[in-house]
Amino acid sequence: MTTNDREWRFLVAESETPEARRKRRESVGRSSGETYLGILRELSPGAACDRIQPADADAALSPGATLAGYDAVFLTGSPLHLYEETPETRRTVAFMRAVFASGTPAFGSCAGLQVATVAAGGSVRPNVRGREAAFGRRITLTEAGCEHPLLAGRPAAYDAPSIHTDEVEALPPGATLLAGNRVTAVQAAEIRFDGGVFWGVQYHPEIGLDEVAGALRRQADGMVEAGLARSRDDVEAYAQQVDDLHREPDRRDLAWRLGLDEQVTVERLRQTELRNFAESLARLGRAGMQVVGR
């Protein structure tokens, strides 16, 4: 990310429950919010990055902080099911509505896209074509996606890290579909609501391959139940190959076995959407983000 001399203020909204944060840290050493904080500090050295857990009952911004005082909000993945009425989902959706109302641009991945969808009047459901695990395959740009700055640099079809059991059923009024595939119709979208703008993806440009492997191990039973693996040993064998490719991203034999190309194996390309959002923010600022997707 190329920035000017100003100090950027970013807020990471981590909607994992405390138990999900614990399991993720045990698996890969960091929660979803901590993954985002790490990559944002790489993309924008010197940025002031705060974190909030909007699903938690005691969630609050730092004293004196307001949503309008941030340059951008980033919504992480989460195990929350947005079609369920729970205190956690209600708090998370209410937070996103407040983000829209503040006018602060937002970006989100996986459940982040689902939260923004529900907050703006759309709907989410369980995946109707089965879970998308490890990698979303042949994600394809729509006509609008070919022109949108969020997906600048992506080829017409590409793969990306993707782990989810829920999907966007219907985008809210006024949203723009940017990409989809045969498993999940809404893979990328722009959502405008109540004076705010959100760019989001169903997949995970923020995570490394080690985190893909960790997610597979955490969800091994579900993978077997879904018929994607015959046993936990099968899941472990696949996860080990993903882990090995994380450690040695230039291993063409592993990439070939896993059916991956540089869109996944090269970190800079894997992070395309996050980089594009950050660069658009740096180039255009809040006001420009409100019109750039038009």
Side-chain angles (χ1 to χ4, degrees), residues 17 54 63 66 81 109 123 155 205 232-233 272 290:
T17 61
T66 65
H81 301 297
S109 56
S123 60
R232 290 181 62 90
D233 287 343
T272 289
Q290 300 304 308

Side-chain angles (χ1 to χ4, degrees), residues 18-148:
E19 178 66 9
R21 291 196 289 271
R22 181 189 65 78
K23 288 182 178 178
R24 199 175 189 278
R25 287 193 185 106
E26 289 178 353
S27 172
V28 296
R30 50 202 177 273
S31 68
S32 63
E34 289 160 353
T35 289
Y36 259 95
L37 289 172
I39 191 171
L40 289 174
R41 287 166 179 151
E42 290 179 8
L43 294 177
S44 184
C49 298
D50 296 332
R51 180 172 44 150
I52 188 172
Q53 284 102 10
D56 294 4
D58 58 353
L61 294 173
S62 301
T66 65
L67 289 172
Y70 288 96
D71 295 295
V73 176
F74 296 84
L75 284 81
T76 74
S78 166
L80 294 180
H81 301 297
L82 274 297
Y83 44 81
E84 295 178 351
E85 277 286 327
T86 68
E88 291 79 10
T89 60
R90 287 193 293 271
R91 286 191 289 261
T92 301
V93 170
F95 170 82
M96 187 63 219
R97 287 183 178 139
V99 172
F100 276 124
S102 75
T104 301
F107 174 91
S109 56
C110 199
L113 172 62
Q114 297 168 18
V115 169
T117 293
V118 173
S123 60
V124 170
R125 65 187 177 190
N127 289 357
V128 297
R129 296 180 182 86
R131 68 171 58 207
E132 199 162 32
F135 304 101
R137 304 289 186 168
R138 294 182 293 281
I139 299 167
T140 304
L141 304 184
T142 64
E143 184 176 350
C146 291
E147 304 297 326
H148 198 283

